């Protein structure tokens, strides 16, 4: 299972773009990268998933360089409600046992 | 799509009693279901992985006789905490996987307080 490393915490002002980078140096060929958001006392919520290059949905973008050893979650124009813990996880079909790291605690400041 | 529910959302019980938590995938049939535990200010810890009709696979250090998992169908898994003690008080979260990548979708969690 690929181990991931993320910053423990980040602060941002409302309206700014936030980029959270995750390192996964030993990612396997079949592994996908998935990001989750968790609010206190709630289960993690799926944000976005990708394999390579760039993926965009209605809430975020995910940038994955060619070597796939890292990935960056981009949240455009954050609001106070985006204050949460964000987890980066790596895995693939058949071996998708998710090992949660400590995640990144994002605090959005008014 | 990909909605997972849990019931109950919170439960308080006396020490020594058993508590059952249900996890359901509402709009899809799950390949696999997972159970996690999360203590305050900590990350999620995987307890066990279960597939419909087969025995669950427990992570190291998780007592299978204490945390009974039954995976009766492709949409329902239950976790029973037997003879619960105060140290079992925690936030229990299930997930269900779907798709070629077997992406996991999580339930809202169940807060257990053992008195």
């Amino acid at each position: 299972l690929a181990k991931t490393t993320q910053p423990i915490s980040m602060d941002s002002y409302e309206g700014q773009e936030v980029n959270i980078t995750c390192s996964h140096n030993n990612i396997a060929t079949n592994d996908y990268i998935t990001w989750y958001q968790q609010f206190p006392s709630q289960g993690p919520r799926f944000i976005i998933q990708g394999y390579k290059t760039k993926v965009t949905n209605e809430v975020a973008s995910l940038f994955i360089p060619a070597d796939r050893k890292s990935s960056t979650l981009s949240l455009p124009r954050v609001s106070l409600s985006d204050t949460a813990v964000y987890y980066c996880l790596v895995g693939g079909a058949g071996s998708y046992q998710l090992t949660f790291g400590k995640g990144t605690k994002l605090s959005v400041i008014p | 799509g990909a909605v997972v529910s849990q019931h109950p959302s919170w439960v308080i019980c006396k020490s020594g009693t058993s508590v059952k938590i249900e996890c359901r995938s509402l709009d899809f049939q799950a390949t696999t279901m997972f159970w996690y535990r999360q203590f305050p200010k900590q990350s999620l810890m995987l307890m066990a992985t279960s597939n419909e009709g087969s025995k669950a696979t427990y992570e190291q250090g998780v007592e299978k006789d204490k945390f009974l998992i039954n995976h009766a169908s492709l949409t329902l898994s239950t976790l029973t905490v037997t003879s619960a003690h105060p140290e079992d008080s925690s936030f229990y979260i299930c997930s269900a996987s779907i798709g070629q990548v077997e992406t996991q979708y999580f339930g809202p969690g169940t807060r257990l307080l053992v008195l």
Side-chain angles (χ1 to χ4, degrees), chain A residues 9-30:
Chain A
S9 64
M10 294 181 68
D11 293 337
S12 176
Y13 287 102
E14 271 191 298
Q16 289 189 329
E17 177 184 77
V18 171
N19 295 309
I20 306 174
T21 297
C22 177
S23 297
H24 28 79
N25 291 318
N26 59 338
I27 187 170
T29 303
N30 294 332

Side-chain angles (χ1 to χ4, degrees), chain A residues 31-109:
Chain A
D31 286 346
Y32 280 71
I33 301 154
T34 310
W35 285 80
Y36 292 89
Q37 174 193 56
Q38 187 182 28
F39 297 111
S41 297
Q42 294 187 27
R45 182 176 76 101
F46 174 90
I47 301 175
I48 197 166
Q49 182 180 79
Y51 182 80
K52 62 181 179 180
T53 62
K54 177 183 175 182
V55 180
T56 298
N57 61 23
E58 62 276 9
V59 298
S61 294
L62 178 59
F63 298 93
I64 306 169
D67 65 6
R68 306 202 322 124
K69 293 184 181 300
S70 66
S71 59
T72 299
L73 173 71
S74 180
L75 304 173
R77 297 184 297 282
V78 294
S79 63
L80 295 177
S81 62
D82 293 318
T83 294
V85 178
Y86 293 82
Y87 294 98
C88 157
L89 291 107
V90 173
S95 64
Y96 220 109
Q97 288 186 316
L98 297 183
T99 301
F100 279 80
K102 296 183 182 300
T104 298
K105 184 175 182 180
L106 172 65
S107 298
V108 180
I109 307 165

